[in-house]
Amino acid sequence: MTAGTTQPTRWPRISKDLQDFPVVPNLADYDAVCRAFSWDGARRALSGLPGGGLNIAHEAVDRHAAGPRAGHEALRFVRADGSTHSLSYRELAEQTSRFAAVLAQLGIGRTERVFSLMGRSPELYVAVLGTLKNGSVFCPLFSAFGPDPVRQRLQLGSGRVLVTTRALYRKKVARIRDALPDLTHVLLIDADGEPEPGTLDLAMLMAAAPGDAGIASTQGEDMALLHFTSGTTGTPKGAIHVHEAVTAHYATGLYALDLHPDDVYWCTADPGWVTGTSYGVIAPLVHGVTTVVDQEEMDADRWYRILAEQRVTVWYTAPTALRMLMKAGADRASGHDLSVLRFVASVGEPLNPEVVVWGREAFGQPVHDNWWQTETGGIMIANFAATEIRPGSMGRPLPGVEAALVQRDENGKPVIADGLPVLVAEPDAMGELALRAGWPSMFRGYLHEEERYRRCFAGGWYLTGDIAKRDADGYYWFVGRGDDVIKSSGHLIGPFEVESSLMEHQAVAQAGVIGVPDPVAGEVVKAFVELRNGWEPSEELRLDIIGFARKRLGAAVAPRMVEFTTALPRTRSGKILRRLLKARELGLPEGDTSTIETPQEAP
Ligand code: AMP
């Protein structure tokens, strides 16, 4: 395999001093914790259902409600005007039991699918956990999805119930209802007694349901959650997760998010994305902490206010949001008391080293990048609270997670010999990131797509489709999605590295980098660049950015072409859609665009 470019080592490592920690970190000695860890041990920290079996909702809610933490604040919703509304573990247990009883009364059984289409309202959180209590399967959809993605997912998942609002129902579902024969019940959270044809009033049903109904006696391997993830082409895939996943949510909440019982924790992700479910609902509740939920969309001043006013101690967010805060300027943070914030983590796409370091200026904390996917169900690789950060690296595998890099052939396919993937041994070489199968939150299938699922595995390893490098000390460095890696004059170029360098130019806010065909080099690098506030596109600036990148990356890697854009196409979860940039550049079909944030003009 051709060697890649050098890693962004110009950024000094960030070491930690245990003396500085306001609480004793859950993972202080990485090697010792990894050696002592077993998934069975982690599972024993959970209580399991009283009669045997395992149910996520029991671990997240009922066992706290039955003990001394019953009155502890579980969820704190921040409304548009900044006022809050809270549910204790006891209240959450009661409401989720009512929701489960409503489903049972409607004849919704085990493994049947309950979908949601709504913003981050209390009813959404009650529906997730109530569905699990009934032994049914929950599938959250982004409220911003249009009618087509909603129909496609409800059809693929054979949704029996949809929980939504009147406005969303009218706008997105009513007219496609005929195409959804499996959908027998639509529950409106805001029906207010006024009938809407074809729907039921959830509040009325809840009021009439018992608040102390039991919980379904699910087993660890029973299906619990269905998360749709976009394929690069074709239809979205429905990743199946089981109740056993809660063991990983617990262990990763402990080690990767360093959750402690008195934490006030804020995960900015919407439950429509897997992060918003695994870490916006399940992991923090399993740890019995208080979770803040902002019901509004991202806004720099609002976010700083929430961090300060809600006295958030642990914050889990995403690179795009952090880059937007950075674009707004660190001075926006000043005047907000962030002194109790002790841990900041990020996930979802590459986190530029500049942002990691900038975190110290804005939040008094570096940002801890971590890596995982819909398919892995939980965090797999992380920078931990107490371990050294190498800015630009996504960190090291979680205890219990075995990661490796698999060699790729000339066509970018993983090299398999005698049924086993051939692993990359030498440090700093690229390969496809693979995980030894068997961690509890591993997806158990793609719904109705057995063959597609099977193709993700080789010789007991799950192949992630991401390209990475590993340094001599076991830190992983993201290079790109397998499909996004650029091959130019024999060099393999990771778009992330080029984007990170471009972002160090004072005028550049965000960048998306692709390879475009070139008769001589095979491919050459093209960058789409969003400028920071106060900068205007000009030929001079374009040349300056190219020159800047050349100095840092060398002529072989720096973009030959830079095009200014005002809006890079992104998914709802914030990922730059490089394949869409490429399809538009080359005039190719755009593939599945259902997860795109807002329809963008061609750049
Ligand atoms: P999703 O399944 O939608 O959550 O997307 C998972 C993909 O997001 C991964 O396969 C990566 O390509 C990307 N991703 C997630 N976290 C990171 C990270 N920390 N660094 C780089 N890429 C990431």
Side-chain angles (χ1 to χ4, degrees), residues 351-428:
L351 185 66
N352 320 76
E354 194 182 4
V355 184
V356 174
V357 175
W358 173 81
R360 294 218 273 199
E361 211 184 306
F363 319 118
Q365 301 291 328
V367 184
H368 295 74
D369 187 18
N370 61 49
W371 176 97
W372 61 290
Q373 313 176 302
T374 304
E375 286 84 348
T376 71
I379 301 169
M380 296 284 107
I381 294 179
N383 287 284
F384 304 93
T387 59
E388 178 184 272
I389 296 182
R390 301 184 177 181
S393 161
M394 32 197 209
R396 287 180 287 177
L398 265 284
V401 171
E402 190 181 343
L405 298 175
V406 176
Q407 288 183 20
R408 294 177 13 125
D409 67 17
E410 281 303 300
N411 302 316
K413 296 267 169 277
V415 180
I416 313 285
D418 300 328
L420 290 176
V422 179
L423 303 186
V424 172
E426 64 275 26
D428 301 327

Side-chain angles (χ1 to χ4, degrees), residues 528-594:
F528 295 88
V529 162
E530 266 179 42
L531 295 178
R532 284 182 193 245
N533 290 342
W535 290 85
E536 289 299 323
S538 70
E539 183 57 14
E540 196 186 346
L541 180 58
R542 205 177 60 77
L543 293 175
D544 191 61
I545 293 172
I546 292 178
F548 176 89
R550 279 207 180 163
K551 258 192 227 132
R552 279 162 193 245
L553 296 164
V557 177
R560 294 256 189 100
M561 292 171 263
V562 166
E563 187 171 318
F564 296 113
T565 173
T566 47
L568 289 166
R570 279 194 206 87
T571 64
R572 292 274 310 157
S573 58
K575 293 182 212 312
I576 294 172
L577 277 165
R578 297 186 191 83
R579 71 173 166 79
L580 194 58
L581 280 174
K582 189 157 179 166
R584 288 173 177 174
E585 176 72 18
L586 305 181
L588 299 172
E590 297 195 352
D592 173 23
T593 52
S594 58

